[in-house]
Amino acid sequence: MTETVEFGHYHLDVHPQPLHLPSGNKRQGIILAPPPSREPSVNSSDPQSEKAEPELRPVDRGIGAWRFLVAAFMMEGFMFGYPINYGVFQSYYFTHAPLAGNTHLSIIGTFGTCFLFLGAPIATYLVQKYSRWQQEAIWTGFAISIIGLAAAGWAEDFESLLATQGCIFGVGLMIMFYPIFNMMNDWFLERRGLALGIICASTGITGIFIPFVLDFLLHKYGPANTLRLSALGLLLLCGPCLPLLKPRTPAPCNESAPCMDYSFLKMPLFYFFALAQLLQGLAYYVPLIYLPSYATSLGLSGTMGALLLVVASFAQVLGQMAFGFVSDMRIPRLWVDGRVPVHILLFVSTFVSGISILALWGPARSLGMLVAFAALYGMSAGGFAVLWARM
């Protein structure tokens, strides 16, 4: 028989039966038990308990995931698609005062995109450590890029354009895009390759019309007004997408806890992929930047140079969608884990794009060969970035 005695905040359950202790003594056993909990259950209907533990939105599906994907598509397509089409600016700068004949113009376009890649180690670490500030980082980076592009409208020499259209705009892209990619990994798991393919393909879709728009504005209003109108256009097109870029899971409040697993540094495969990414990144944008200028050197018009970028962009859309879809496919009868090995897809992308440069771009002396090169290169080389999700 058990007697219960209340003592302060505890209940004492007294068992009259003796307990066999190692010393041989027999005593009444007393078990200290906490009182019944007066806190509301987590499963109760209390609205505060539901607020404390919100229900997570589903992965790979649902309106939240696709709303985020549409917003990321717009940001990638216009904000990152703009510097990719810098070749139109370079062709105009090279043939018009005050930068006519300047052989260093390509550096502006290089700086506009290189920060996004060279800043990856630092940006990735900061995004993981301070993940609760991801949305603020996106807004800040967007503002920096718009300010840099607008300020370029008042630049009057090469150094000023390099600082504004190149460096400031590029730094803003770096601050803005790594939180977006981190959120994408949270929203998509099984369809991550396809999601990244859709986001990356946006630059190809916008690249179909951005070169023509820039070429028209440059020849009608000049570079200064074109840069200012571009800043206003990006603000109106991408600004409404910012509130839609939200993480799926709430960020941890403890920012001092370790947030990254560095065990991958001990894997030789990591260095193989890092070297492949470095070499591919150094070469990828060269044809896209120089293609309009190369067409002009052959006697073709600036419109034909813009047309080559359109062809490359359209082919890039097809290639990135295809590589992303294939990377998510499962074929159990061919591979152990069912997925196509990523190194096979990487080889196809780099080998075909390299052959297209050697066989088509090098000996190209006509518009037809340049169009063939732009199509083959855009489809093959563009798919490489989609495979980051599988590396």
Side-chain angles (χ1 to χ4, degrees), residues 52 54 56-57 126-136 179 182-183 186 246-257 259:
L56 295 180
R57 284 162 285 187
L126 293 177
V127 168
Q128 293 288 336
K129 185 174 178 60
Y130 302 103
S131 57
R132 61 185 301 187
W133 302 105
Q134 289 183 104
Q135 288 182 278
E136 289 78 1
N182 189 56
M183 291 180 184
D186 191 25
K246 298 179 180 180
R248 186 183 69 91
T249 57
C253 297
N254 185 10
E255 296 176 352
S256 61
C259 54

Side-chain angles (χ1 to χ4, degrees), residues 49-387:
S49 65
E50 295 179 359
K51 183 178 181 181
E53 294 188 7
E55 182 180 357
L56 295 180
R57 284 162 285 187
V59 182
D60 293 318
R61 57 186 176 84
I63 186 153
W66 295 110
R67 182 172 54 193
F68 170 83
L69 188 62
V70 170
F73 178 92
M74 292 290 293
M75 298 296 290
E76 174 84 4
F78 287 99
M79 294 301 297
F80 189 58
Y82 192 85
I84 288 181
N85 292 283
Y86 169 76
V88 179
F89 278 98
Q90 179 177 320
S91 180
Y92 183 89
Y93 290 153
F94 190 78
T95 56
H96 293 77
L99 300 176
N102 192 316
T103 57
H104 304 292
L105 292 172
S106 62
I107 300 178
I108 299 176
T110 302
F111 272 72
T113 56
C114 73
F115 285 102
L116 185 62
F117 299 99
L118 296 181
I122 298 176
T124 303
Y125 171 78
L126 293 177
V127 168
Q128 293 288 336
K129 185 174 178 60
Y130 302 103
S131 57
R132 61 185 301 187
W133 302 105
Q134 289 183 104
Q135 288 182 278
E136 289 78 1
I138 294 174
W139 285 75
T140 302
F142 178 75
I144 292 174
S145 293
I146 295 299
I147 292 173
L149 195 60
W154 283 270
E156 298 180 353
D157 51 29
F158 170 78
E159 290 76 14
S160 300
L161 282 174
L162 178 61
T164 53
Q165 190 177 4
C167 295
I168 297 179
F169 187 84
V171 170
L173 289 183
M174 179 190 70
I175 298 174
M176 174 176 56
F177 272 109
Y178 281 98
I180 294 178
F181 290 141
N182 189 56
M183 291 180 184
M184 186 210 70
N185 291 333
D186 191 25
W187 278 107
F188 294 91
L189 183 61
E190 290 295 326
R191 298 181 180 179
R192 185 175 296 170
L194 179 60
L196 185 58
I198 293 174
I199 294 176
C200 292
S202 63
T203 57
I205 294 177
T206 57
I208 295 175
F209 57 86
I210 283 182
F212 291 114
V213 173
L214 293 178
D215 185 69
F216 170 79
L217 293 176
L218 285 170
H219 286 88
K220 185 173 181 63
Y221 300 106
N225 290 327
T226 298
L227 289 167
R228 297 165 192 162
L229 289 173
S230 298
L232 179 61
L234 292 178
L235 179 63
L236 296 177
L237 288 170
C238 299
C241 298
L242 295 177
L244 303 179
L245 297 170
K246 298 179 180 180
R248 186 183 69 91
T249 57
C253 297
N254 185 10
E255 296 176 352
S256 61
C259 54
M260 292 188 66
D261 181 10
Y262 295 97
S263 60
F264 63 88
L265 295 175
K266 301 178 182 179
M267 302 173 59
L269 189 60
F270 163 74
Y271 297 97
F272 169 80
F273 282 146
L275 179 61
Q277 176 60 53
L278 175 63
L279 297 177
Q280 201 272 350
L282 290 174
Y284 174 68
Y285 293 102
V286 174
L288 300 178
I289 292 176
Y290 281 100
L291 202 54
S293 300
Y294 187 80
T296 303
S297 68
L298 296 180
L300 300 175
S301 64
T303 303
M304 290 297 101
L307 175 63
L308 293 174
L309 290 180
V310 170
V311 173
S313 297
F314 183 74
Q316 176 185 329
V317 173
L318 300 179
Q320 289 178 331
M321 295 286 288
F323 274 92
F325 178 77
V326 173
S327 67
D328 287 337
M329 288 180 58
R330 291 185 178 275
I331 311 177
R333 289 177 291 182
L334 295 181
W335 291 280
V336 177
D337 63 348
R339 294 184 182 272
V340 181
V342 66
H343 60 271
I344 294 180
L345 299 176
L346 291 172
F347 174 79
V348 172
S349 173
T350 54
F351 181 78
V352 175
S353 59
I355 290 298
S356 67
I357 294 176
L358 295 175
L360 295 176
W361 192 22
R365 295 296 181 269
S366 64
L367 179 62
M369 290 193 68
L370 288 178
V371 169
F373 163 72
L376 187 58
Y377 180 82
M379 182 175 295
S380 56
F384 190 93
V386 179
L387 302 175

